[in-house]
Amino acid sequence: MAVRATRLKRGIGAVTAAALVASVAACGSGGSGDTASDGSVTLEFAQWWGAELPAGAFNKIVNDFTAQNPKIKIKLLSAPYDSTKQQMITGAASKTLPDVVGLDGAWVNDFAKQGAITDLSKLMTDAHFDAGQLASQVQVKGKTYMIPVVNFVYPLFVNKDLLTKAGVAKVPTTRTQFLDAAKKISATGGDVKGWALPLDTAVPNGIQNDVMSWLWASGGSMLKDGKPNLTSAPVKSTVEYVKSLNDAGVIAPGSLTMKEQDKVEKFTNGQVGMMIDSLAHINLIKKNKPDLKFEVAPLPAEDGFTGKRGIPYASWGIGISNSTKHKAEAFKFVSYLLSQETNAKLSTIANGFPGNKNAKPDFSNSDPMFKTAFDIYQQGYPANEFVGLPKSEDLMRRFDEQLQLVLTGKTTVDDALAKSQEFWSSVIE
Protein backbone atom coordinates (compact mmCIF):
# COMPACT_ATOMS: atom_id res chain seq x y z
CA MET A 1 0.00 0.00 0.00
CA ALA A 2 1.13 3.51 -0.59
CA VAL A 3 0.38 5.45 2.52
CA ARG A 4 -0.15 3.75 5.82
CA ALA A 5 0.41 4.64 9.43
CA THR A 6 3.07 2.34 10.81
CA ARG A 7 1.79 1.17 14.15
CA LEU A 8 2.44 -1.08 17.11
CA LYS A 9 0.17 -4.10 16.86
CA ARG A 10 -1.74 -4.84 20.02
CA GLY A 11 -4.22 -7.53 19.11
CA ILE A 12 -7.32 -8.07 17.07
CA GLY A 13 -9.88 -6.04 19.02
CA ALA A 14 -13.51 -6.66 19.87
CA VAL A 15 -14.90 -7.32 16.43
CA THR A 16 -13.44 -9.90 14.08
CA ALA A 17 -12.64 -9.35 10.42
CA ALA A 18 -15.52 -11.65 9.51
CA ALA A 19 -17.92 -9.51 11.49
CA LEU A 20 -16.71 -6.41 9.69
CA VAL A 21 -17.19 -8.08 6.32
CA ALA A 22 -20.74 -9.05 7.21
CA SER A 23 -21.55 -5.68 8.69
CA VAL A 24 -20.24 -3.66 5.74
CA ALA A 25 -22.06 -5.95 3.35
CA ALA A 26 -25.26 -5.44 5.30
CA CYS A 27 -25.03 -1.65 5.39
CA GLY A 28 -26.94 -1.33 2.15
CA SER A 29 -27.51 2.40 1.95
CA GLY A 30 -24.43 3.57 3.80
CA GLY A 31 -24.36 2.41 7.37
CA SER A 32 -27.14 1.48 9.70
CA GLY A 33 -28.19 5.09 10.28
CA ASP A 34 -31.13 3.70 12.21
CA THR A 35 -33.47 6.06 14.03
CA ALA A 36 -35.07 4.48 17.10
CA SER A 37 -38.51 5.24 18.48
CA ASP A 38 -36.94 7.58 21.04
CA GLY A 39 -35.33 9.60 18.25
CA SER A 40 -31.81 8.28 18.83
CA VAL A 41 -29.58 7.46 15.87
CA THR A 42 -27.12 4.56 15.60
CA LEU A 43 -24.00 5.22 13.49
CA GLU A 44 -21.61 2.51 12.36
CA PHE A 45 -17.91 3.37 12.51
CA ALA A 46 -15.54 1.01 10.67
CA GLN A 47 -11.80 1.35 11.33
CA TRP A 48 -8.66 -0.59 12.23
CA TRP A 49 -7.69 1.66 15.15
CA GLY A 50 -9.50 -0.21 17.90
CA ALA A 51 -7.73 -3.41 16.88
CA GLU A 52 -4.34 -1.78 17.50
CA LEU A 53 -4.98 0.02 20.77
CA PRO A 54 -4.91 -1.47 24.29
CA ALA A 55 -8.02 -3.57 24.91
CA GLY A 56 -11.02 -1.41 25.71
CA ALA A 57 -9.18 1.91 25.29
CA PHE A 58 -11.00 3.02 22.15
CA ASN A 59 -14.37 1.83 23.48
CA LYS A 60 -13.92 4.12 26.48
CA ILE A 61 -13.33 7.16 24.25
CA VAL A 62 -16.43 6.31 22.20
CA ASN A 63 -18.51 5.67 25.33
CA ASP A 64 -17.58 9.10 26.65
CA PHE A 65 -19.05 10.58 23.47
CA THR A 66 -22.32 8.68 23.73
CA ALA A 67 -22.63 9.65 27.39
CA GLN A 68 -22.46 13.28 26.32
CA ASN A 69 -24.73 12.67 23.32
CA PRO A 70 -27.35 10.08 24.34
CA LYS A 71 -29.27 10.56 21.08
CA ILE A 72 -26.27 9.32 19.05
CA LYS A 73 -25.13 5.72 19.49
CA ILE A 74 -21.88 4.45 17.92
CA LYS A 75 -21.50 0.86 16.75
CA LEU A 76 -17.77 0.15 16.46
CA LEU A 77 -16.62 -2.15 13.67
CA SER A 78 -12.96 -2.84 14.48
CA ALA A 79 -10.79 -5.19 12.42
CA PRO A 80 -7.15 -5.45 11.32
CA TYR A 81 -5.94 -2.95 8.72
CA ASP A 82 -5.85 -5.33 5.75
CA SER A 83 -9.41 -6.57 6.36
CA THR A 84 -10.66 -3.01 6.81
CA LYS A 85 -8.94 -1.91 3.61
CA GLN A 86 -10.56 -4.63 1.51
CA GLN A 87 -14.01 -3.96 2.90
CA MET A 88 -13.70 -0.20 2.49
CA ILE A 89 -12.72 -0.67 -1.15
CA THR A 90 -15.68 -2.99 -1.70
CA GLY A 91 -18.07 -0.74 0.21
CA ALA A 92 -16.92 2.36 -1.68
CA ALA A 93 -17.50 0.71 -5.05
CA SER A 94 -21.02 -0.41 -4.08
CA LYS A 95 -21.90 2.76 -2.10
CA THR A 96 -22.41 0.69 1.06
CA LEU A 97 -19.83 2.26 3.36
CA PRO A 98 -20.66 2.51 7.07
CA ASP A 99 -21.68 5.96 8.29
CA VAL A 100 -18.21 6.91 9.57
CA VAL A 101 -15.04 5.37 8.19
CA GLY A 102 -11.39 5.20 9.12
CA LEU A 103 -9.39 6.19 6.04
CA ASP A 104 -5.89 5.73 4.69
CA GLY A 105 -4.80 8.68 2.58
CA ALA A 106 -4.09 6.34 -0.33
CA TRP A 107 -7.82 5.55 -0.67
CA VAL A 108 -9.19 9.09 -0.58
CA ASN A 109 -8.89 10.17 -4.19
CA ASP A 110 -10.57 7.06 -5.58
CA PHE A 111 -13.32 7.07 -2.94
CA ALA A 112 -14.05 10.74 -3.58
CA LYS A 113 -14.25 10.20 -7.34
CA GLN A 114 -16.62 7.29 -6.77
CA GLY A 115 -18.85 9.55 -4.71
CA ALA A 116 -18.49 7.17 -1.77
CA ILE A 117 -17.29 9.68 0.83
CA THR A 118 -18.74 13.11 1.48
CA ASP A 119 -17.32 16.63 1.28
CA LEU A 120 -16.29 17.48 4.84
CA SER A 121 -15.68 21.14 3.99
CA LYS A 122 -19.41 21.77 3.84
CA LEU A 123 -20.06 19.84 7.05
CA MET A 124 -17.38 21.85 8.85
CA THR A 125 -19.00 25.09 7.68
CA ASP A 126 -22.49 23.93 8.62
CA ALA A 127 -21.30 22.92 12.11
CA HIS A 128 -19.29 26.15 12.57
CA PHE A 129 -16.24 23.95 13.13
CA ASP A 130 -12.92 25.80 13.33
CA ALA A 131 -10.79 24.17 10.64
CA GLY A 132 -7.85 26.29 11.79
CA GLN A 133 -7.28 23.88 14.69
CA LEU A 134 -6.52 20.99 12.31
CA ALA A 135 -2.91 20.02 11.68
CA SER A 136 -3.80 18.95 8.15
CA GLN A 137 -6.64 18.06 5.78
CA VAL A 138 -6.71 15.77 2.75
CA GLN A 139 -8.40 17.42 -0.21
CA VAL A 140 -9.47 16.49 -3.73
CA LYS A 141 -10.11 19.41 -6.06
CA GLY A 142 -10.19 21.86 -3.17
CA LYS A 143 -12.68 19.92 -1.04
CA THR A 144 -11.76 18.09 2.17
CA TYR A 145 -12.65 14.38 2.23
CA MET A 146 -10.37 13.12 5.01
CA ILE A 147 -9.12 14.62 8.26
CA PRO A 148 -6.07 13.00 9.92
CA VAL A 149 -7.02 12.21 13.53
CA VAL A 150 -3.66 10.82 14.66
CA ASN A 151 -0.38 11.28 12.78
CA PHE A 152 2.62 8.95 12.81
CA VAL A 153 5.80 10.78 11.77
CA TYR A 154 9.14 9.73 10.28
CA PRO A 155 12.11 11.65 11.75
CA LEU A 156 15.83 10.93 11.39
CA PHE A 157 17.17 8.09 13.59
CA VAL A 158 20.88 8.23 14.45
CA ASN A 159 23.14 5.66 16.13
CA LYS A 160 25.00 7.77 18.72
CA ASP A 161 27.80 5.23 19.24
CA LEU A 162 28.56 5.06 15.51
CA LEU A 163 28.58 8.84 15.23
CA THR A 164 31.03 9.06 18.15
CA LYS A 165 33.22 6.31 16.71
CA ALA A 166 33.30 8.16 13.39
CA GLY A 167 34.31 11.40 15.08
CA VAL A 168 31.02 13.18 14.31
CA ALA A 169 30.34 15.53 17.21
CA LYS A 170 26.82 16.67 16.30
CA VAL A 171 23.80 15.14 14.61
CA PRO A 172 23.75 16.51 11.03
CA THR A 173 21.18 19.22 10.29
CA THR A 174 22.08 19.97 6.66
CA ARG A 175 22.58 17.84 3.56
CA THR A 176 26.30 18.60 3.50
CA GLN A 177 26.69 17.61 7.15
CA PHE A 178 24.70 14.41 6.54
CA LEU A 179 26.89 13.37 3.59
CA ASP A 180 30.02 14.10 5.61
CA ALA A 181 28.74 12.08 8.58
CA ALA A 182 27.67 9.21 6.33
CA LYS A 183 31.16 9.11 4.77
CA LYS A 184 32.87 9.06 8.15
CA ILE A 185 30.57 6.33 9.47
CA SER A 186 31.15 4.22 6.35
CA ALA A 187 34.91 4.68 6.75
CA THR A 188 34.88 3.02 10.19
CA GLY A 189 35.11 -0.33 8.43
CA GLY A 190 33.36 -3.66 8.49
CA ASP A 191 29.88 -3.85 7.01
CA VAL A 192 28.79 -0.50 8.49
CA LYS A 193 27.34 2.18 6.21
CA GLY A 194 26.06 5.67 6.83
CA TRP A 195 22.51 5.38 5.52
CA ALA A 196 19.88 2.84 4.40
CA LEU A 197 17.62 3.40 1.39
CA PRO A 198 14.82 0.82 0.81
CA LEU A 199 13.81 0.85 -2.86
CA ASP A 200 12.02 -2.47 -3.36
CA THR A 201 9.47 -1.77 -6.11
CA ALA A 202 7.03 -4.34 -4.68
CA VAL A 203 6.52 -1.98 -1.72
CA PRO A 204 7.72 1.38 -3.09
CA ASN A 205 7.01 3.53 -0.04
CA GLY A 206 10.75 4.21 0.21
CA ILE A 207 10.11 6.93 -2.38
CA GLN A 208 7.69 8.58 0.02
CA ASN A 209 9.58 8.09 3.29
CA ASP A 210 13.25 8.02 2.29
CA VAL A 211 13.51 10.08 -0.92
CA MET A 212 10.82 12.75 -1.12
CA SER A 213 11.34 13.39 2.60
CA TRP A 214 14.56 15.23 1.64
CA LEU A 215 12.49 17.51 -0.59
CA TRP A 216 9.82 18.22 2.02
CA ALA A 217 12.44 18.82 4.74
CA SER A 218 13.61 21.81 2.70
CA GLY A 219 10.10 23.16 2.17
CA GLY A 220 9.94 21.82 -1.40
CA SER A 221 7.05 20.30 -3.32
CA MET A 222 6.73 17.68 -6.06
CA LEU A 223 3.48 19.31 -7.20
CA LYS A 224 2.47 22.71 -8.58
CA ASP A 225 -1.19 23.68 -8.49
CA GLY A 226 -1.98 20.01 -7.83
CA LYS A 227 -0.12 18.82 -10.93
CA PRO A 228 3.20 16.91 -11.12
CA ASN A 229 6.26 19.15 -11.09
CA LEU A 230 9.03 16.57 -11.09
CA THR A 231 11.35 18.42 -13.47
CA SER A 232 11.56 21.39 -11.11
CA ALA A 233 14.86 22.47 -9.55
CA PRO A 234 13.95 21.34 -5.97
CA VAL A 235 13.02 17.80 -7.08
CA LYS A 236 16.11 17.57 -9.31
CA SER A 237 18.27 18.72 -6.40
CA THR A 238 16.74 16.02 -4.20
CA VAL A 239 17.44 13.21 -6.66
CA GLU A 240 20.94 14.51 -7.35
CA TYR A 241 21.58 14.52 -3.60
CA VAL A 242 20.44 10.90 -3.22
CA LYS A 243 22.67 10.04 -6.19
CA SER A 244 25.60 11.77 -4.47
CA LEU A 245 25.09 9.57 -1.41
CA ASN A 246 25.06 6.52 -3.65
CA ASP A 247 28.15 7.66 -5.58
CA ALA A 248 29.99 8.21 -2.29
CA GLY A 249 29.35 4.58 -1.33
CA VAL A 250 27.63 5.43 1.95
CA ILE A 251 24.34 3.60 1.32
CA ALA A 252 23.88 0.09 2.72
CA PRO A 253 24.16 -2.60 0.02
CA GLY A 254 21.02 -4.20 -1.37
CA SER A 255 19.01 -0.98 -1.68
CA LEU A 256 17.26 -1.98 -4.89
CA THR A 257 15.48 -4.88 -3.18
CA MET A 258 15.44 -3.56 0.40
CA LYS A 259 12.13 -3.16 2.26
CA GLU A 260 11.39 -0.95 5.25
CA GLN A 261 11.74 -3.82 7.73
CA ASP A 262 15.19 -4.62 6.31
CA LYS A 263 16.27 -1.02 6.91
CA VAL A 264 15.09 -1.15 10.51
CA GLU A 265 16.85 -4.46 11.07
CA LYS A 266 20.17 -3.07 9.76
CA PHE A 267 19.88 -0.03 12.01
CA THR A 268 18.99 -2.19 15.02
CA ASN A 269 21.99 -4.43 14.38
CA GLY A 270 24.38 -1.47 14.17
CA GLN A 271 25.04 -1.89 10.44
CA VAL A 272 23.62 1.55 9.56
CA GLY A 273 24.39 4.83 11.27
CA MET A 274 21.33 6.80 10.16
CA MET A 275 17.86 6.16 8.74
CA ILE A 276 14.53 7.89 8.25
CA ASP A 277 11.87 5.86 10.02
CA SER A 278 8.56 5.75 11.88
CA LEU A 279 8.37 6.57 15.57
CA ALA A 280 6.40 3.36 15.99
CA HIS A 281 9.69 1.47 15.69
CA ILE A 282 11.29 3.08 18.77
CA ASN A 283 9.86 0.45 21.13
CA LEU A 284 10.62 -2.35 18.65
CA ILE A 285 14.27 -1.31 18.36
CA LYS A 286 14.64 -1.03 22.13
CA LYS A 287 13.06 -4.43 22.63
CA ASN A 288 15.32 -6.13 20.07
CA LYS A 289 18.51 -4.23 21.02
CA PRO A 290 18.20 -2.79 24.57
CA ASP A 291 21.81 -1.54 24.63
CA LEU A 292 21.61 0.41 21.34
CA LYS A 293 22.17 4.12 21.94
CA PHE A 294 20.17 6.12 19.43
CA GLU A 295 18.14 9.29 19.19
CA VAL A 296 15.72 11.01 16.83
CA ALA A 297 16.27 14.37 15.13
CA PRO A 298 14.83 16.62 12.42
CA LEU A 299 15.50 15.63 8.84
CA PRO A 300 18.48 17.53 7.39
CA ALA A 301 17.59 20.36 5.02
CA GLU A 302 19.40 22.04 2.14
CA ASP A 303 22.31 24.17 3.25
CA GLY A 304 21.10 27.64 4.18
CA PHE A 305 17.43 26.70 4.48
CA THR A 306 15.79 28.52 7.38
CA GLY A 307 12.08 27.84 6.86
CA LYS A 308 9.83 25.26 8.48
CA ARG A 309 10.78 21.67 7.70
CA GLY A 310 8.27 19.19 6.44
CA ILE A 311 8.31 15.82 8.15
CA PRO A 312 6.84 12.75 6.43
CA TYR A 313 3.83 11.19 8.09
CA ALA A 314 1.07 8.65 7.77
CA SER A 315 -2.29 8.89 9.50
CA TRP A 316 -5.37 7.43 11.00
CA GLY A 317 -7.73 9.46 8.85
CA ILE A 318 -11.49 9.80 9.17
CA GLY A 319 -14.29 10.40 6.69
CA ILE A 320 -18.06 10.16 6.36
CA SER A 321 -20.07 8.05 3.93
CA ASN A 322 -21.78 10.08 1.23
CA SER A 323 -24.86 7.87 1.50
CA THR A 324 -25.44 8.08 5.25
CA LYS A 325 -28.73 9.73 6.20
CA HIS A 326 -27.17 11.33 9.25
CA LYS A 327 -24.22 13.44 8.11
CA ALA A 328 -24.68 16.08 10.82
CA GLU A 329 -24.66 13.48 13.60
CA ALA A 330 -21.69 11.74 12.00
CA PHE A 331 -19.74 14.98 11.86
CA LYS A 332 -20.57 15.68 15.50
CA PHE A 333 -18.78 12.44 16.33
CA VAL A 334 -15.86 13.35 14.03
CA SER A 335 -15.54 16.77 15.67
CA TYR A 336 -15.51 15.07 19.09
CA LEU A 337 -12.56 12.87 18.09
CA LEU A 338 -10.77 15.99 16.86
CA SER A 339 -11.54 18.11 19.92
CA GLN A 340 -8.48 19.21 21.89
CA GLU A 341 -9.03 17.03 24.96
CA THR A 342 -10.19 13.85 23.19
CA ASN A 343 -7.54 14.11 20.49
CA ALA A 344 -4.83 14.42 23.12
CA LYS A 345 -6.09 11.25 24.86
CA LEU A 346 -6.32 9.25 21.64
CA SER A 347 -2.86 10.37 20.49
CA THR A 348 -1.37 9.42 23.86
CA ILE A 349 -2.66 5.85 23.84
CA ALA A 350 -1.72 5.44 20.15
CA ASN A 351 1.85 6.75 20.57
CA GLY A 352 1.06 9.19 17.78
CA PHE A 353 0.64 12.91 17.31
CA PRO A 354 -2.63 14.86 17.35
CA GLY A 355 -4.65 15.90 14.33
CA ASN A 356 -5.70 18.90 16.44
CA LYS A 357 -2.64 21.13 16.57
CA ASN A 358 -3.71 22.55 19.95
CA ALA A 359 -3.77 19.11 21.59
CA LYS A 360 -0.74 17.84 23.51
CA PRO A 361 -0.20 14.15 24.26
CA ASP A 362 0.81 13.06 27.76
CA PHE A 363 4.40 11.77 27.52
CA SER A 364 4.81 11.07 31.24
CA ASN A 365 4.62 7.30 30.76
CA SER A 366 6.30 7.02 27.34
CA ASP A 367 9.87 7.00 26.05
CA PRO A 368 11.48 10.50 26.17
CA MET A 369 12.16 10.23 22.44
CA PHE A 370 8.44 10.63 21.74
CA LYS A 371 8.57 14.04 23.43
CA THR A 372 11.64 14.97 21.37
CA ALA A 373 9.87 13.90 18.20
CA PHE A 374 6.76 15.86 19.17
CA ASP A 375 8.88 19.00 19.53
CA ILE A 376 10.27 18.36 16.04
CA TYR A 377 6.73 17.86 14.74
CA GLN A 378 5.53 21.12 16.26
CA GLN A 379 8.47 23.10 14.88
CA GLY A 380 7.79 21.88 11.35
CA TYR A 381 4.72 20.62 9.51
CA PRO A 382 3.39 17.21 8.44
CA ALA A 383 4.31 16.61 4.81
CA ASN A 384 3.20 13.79 2.56
CA GLU A 385 2.09 14.88 -0.90
CA PHE A 386 1.20 11.33 -1.92
CA VAL A 387 -1.80 11.48 0.39
CA GLY A 388 -4.88 12.19 -1.71
CA LEU A 389 -3.25 11.44 -5.07
CA PRO A 390 -4.82 8.84 -7.40
CA LYS A 391 -2.97 5.52 -7.69
CA SER A 392 -0.29 6.81 -5.34
CA GLU A 393 1.48 3.46 -5.11
CA ASP A 394 1.79 3.31 -8.90
CA LEU A 395 3.25 6.83 -8.89
CA MET A 396 5.85 5.80 -6.32
CA ARG A 397 6.68 2.62 -8.20
CA ARG A 398 7.31 4.40 -11.52
CA PHE A 399 9.50 6.99 -9.80
CA ASP A 400 11.31 4.17 -7.99
CA GLU A 401 12.04 2.37 -11.26
CA GLN A 402 13.50 5.51 -12.78
CA LEU A 403 15.56 6.28 -9.67
CA GLN A 404 17.02 2.78 -9.75
CA LEU A 405 18.15 3.41 -13.34
CA VAL A 406 19.85 6.60 -12.17
CA LEU A 407 21.62 4.88 -9.27
CA THR A 408 22.86 2.06 -11.52
CA GLY A 409 24.17 4.49 -14.15
CA LYS A 410 21.65 3.51 -16.84
CA THR A 411 20.02 6.90 -17.25
CA THR A 412 20.48 10.55 -16.30
CA VAL A 413 18.62 12.44 -13.58
CA ASP A 414 16.98 14.67 -16.20
CA ASP A 415 15.75 11.73 -18.29
CA ALA A 416 14.47 9.87 -15.24
CA LEU A 417 12.51 12.89 -14.03
CA ALA A 418 11.13 13.59 -17.50
CA LYS A 419 9.82 10.03 -17.84
CA SER A 420 8.39 10.07 -14.33
CA GLN A 421 6.72 13.40 -15.07
CA GLU A 422 5.15 11.97 -18.22
CA PHE A 423 3.70 8.98 -16.36
CA TRP A 424 2.49 11.00 -13.41
CA SER A 425 0.81 13.50 -15.70
CA SER A 426 -1.14 10.68 -17.33
CA VAL A 427 -2.45 9.57 -13.90
CA ILE A 428 -3.05 12.87 -12.12
CA GLU A 429 -5.75 14.85 -13.88
Side-chain angles (χ1 to χ4, degrees):
M1 84 219 131
V3 182
R4 175 179 174 185
T6 305
R7 312 158 304 267
L8 299 176
K9 296 184 177 179
R10 298 187 177 94
I12 297 302
V15 181
T16 66
L20 177 64
V21 172
S23 192
V24 171
C27 287
S29 58
S32 58
D34 293 332
T35 302
S37 57
D38 63 357
S40 64
V41 171
T42 298
L43 303 176
E44 292 185 336
F45 177 28
Q47 34 58 51
W48 64 96
W49 317 348
E52 295 173 353
L53 292 171
F58 197 39
N59 295 70
K60 184 180 185 308
I61 285 177
V62 171
N63 290 341
D64 287 345
F65 170 79
T66 54
Q68 298 169 29
N69 300 273
K71 292 292 186 182
I72 306 175
K73 303 182 187 304
I74 304 296
K75 181 179 180 182
L76 279 180
L77 306 175
S78 300
Y81 175 88
D82 290 338
S83 300
T84 302
K85 175 184 176 181
Q86 285 307 119
Q87 295 312 311
M88 291 303 98
I89 291 173
T90 301
S94 59
K95 306 293 191 299
T96 58
L97 285 176
D99 306 277
V100 184
V101 287
L103 292 173
D104 184 316
W107 314 337
V108 174
N109 193 285
D110 291 338
F111 286 11
K113 286 182 177 178
Q114 291 171 335
I117 50 179
T118 200
D119 173 14
L120 298 177
S121 305
K122 183 178 185 304
L123 294 181
M124 283 190 276
T125 300
D126 293 345
H128 304 291
F129 180 83
D130 178 16
Q133 66 189 300
L134 301 177
S136 59
Q137 302 174 51
V138 178
Q139 299 186 332
V140 177
K141 297 188 182 300
K143 296 179 179 179
T144 297
Y145 287 92
M146 172 184 131
I147 301 173
V149 178
V150 179
N151 295 311
F152 300 84
V153 298
Y154 288 67
L156 179 69
F157 283 58
V158 293
N159 182 316
K160 295 168 69 175
D161 285 339
L162 286 181
L163 253 64
T164 300
K165 183 179 179 181
V168 179
K170 295 182 179 179
V171 175
T173 61
T174 69
R175 289 184 183 180
T176 296
Q177 291 174 3
F178 185 89
L179 176 57
D180 180 64
K183 286 179 179 178
K184 289 178 178 177
I185 292 170
S186 301
T188 59
D191 58 356
V192 175
K193 291 293 183 181
W195 187 47
L197 175 62
L199 291 177
D200 192 316
T201 55
V203 188
N205 59 357
I207 297 302
Q208 165 189 288
N209 301 328
D210 304 84
V211 177
M212 287 301 180
S213 51
W214 292 101
L215 172 71
W216 301 327
S218 299
S221 174
M222 62 189 201
L223 306 172
K224 183 177 181 181
D225 298 326
K227 305 294 184 183
N229 195 28
L230 300 181
T231 56
S232 65
V235 178
K236 182 178 178 180
S237 171
T238 298
V239 176
E240 287 179 335
Y241 180 67
V242 172
K243 182 178 183 297
S244 73
L245 292 167
N246 182 69
D247 292 345
V250 303
I251 299 177
S255 279
L256 305 189
T257 55
M258 186 181 293
K259 294 181 174 65
E260 182 175 278
Q261 60 263 37
D262 302 321
K263 169 185 70 176
V264 178
E265 185 176 333
K266 284 183 178 294
F267 182 85
T268 305
N269 291 334
Q271 296 172 288
V272 169
M274 299 176 286
M275 69 170 178
I276 300 167
D277 192 37
S278 168
L279 283 183
H281 289 148
I282 287 177
N283 292 333
L284 175 67
I285 294 169
K286 291 203 164 190
K287 177 183 177 182
N288 292 339
K289 198 80 169 184
D291 58 343
L292 184 69
K293 295 179 182 177
F294 69 100
E295 63 183 61
V296 295
L299 270 62
E302 283 189 300
D303 297 40
F305 179 74
T306 58
K308 283 194 171 186
R309 303 187 185 200
I311 182 168
Y313 77 100
S315 303
W316 284 354
I318 199 163
I320 294 174
S321 168
N322 201 30
S323 53
T324 180
K325 299 173 183 177
H326 301 284
K327 289 186 174 69
E329 291 88 346
F331 186 74
K332 190 167 188 177
F333 176 61
V334 170
S335 62
Y336 163 78
L337 292 178
L338 287 160
S339 64
Q340 186 173 336
E341 181 180 352
T342 303
N343 203 234
K345 288 179 182 177
L346 183 55
S347 300
T348 298
I349 61 175
N351 283 325
F353 295 156
N356 183 320
K357 60 188 181 184
N358 300 321
K360 292 186 178 180
D362 179 4
F363 295 107
S364 58
N365 294 316
S366 60
D367 191 286
M369 272 189 273
F370 286 105
K371 175 63 168 65
T372 300
F374 186 61
D375 291 340
I376 295 170
Y377 175 73
Q378 286 191 306
Q379 291 163 12
Y381 62 93
N384 189 335
E385 292 183 296
F386 286 101
V387 172
L389 291 183
K391 304 183 184 303
S392 54
E393 188 167 295
D394 290 343
L395 300 179
M396 289 185 213
R397 183 172 293 107
R398 183 59 62 95
F399 195 97
D400 193 338
E401 292 167 352
Q402 290 298 319
L403 177 59
Q404 291 205 19
L405 293 176
V406 169
L407 299 183
T408 53
K410 296 176 182 176
T411 192
T412 65
V413 172
D414 285 336
D415 285 348
L417 292 177
K419 287 182 179 176
S420 296
Q421 172 77 16
E422 182 180 4
F423 177 76
W424 283 31
S425 296
S426 71
V427 173
I428 303 173
E429 298 177 0

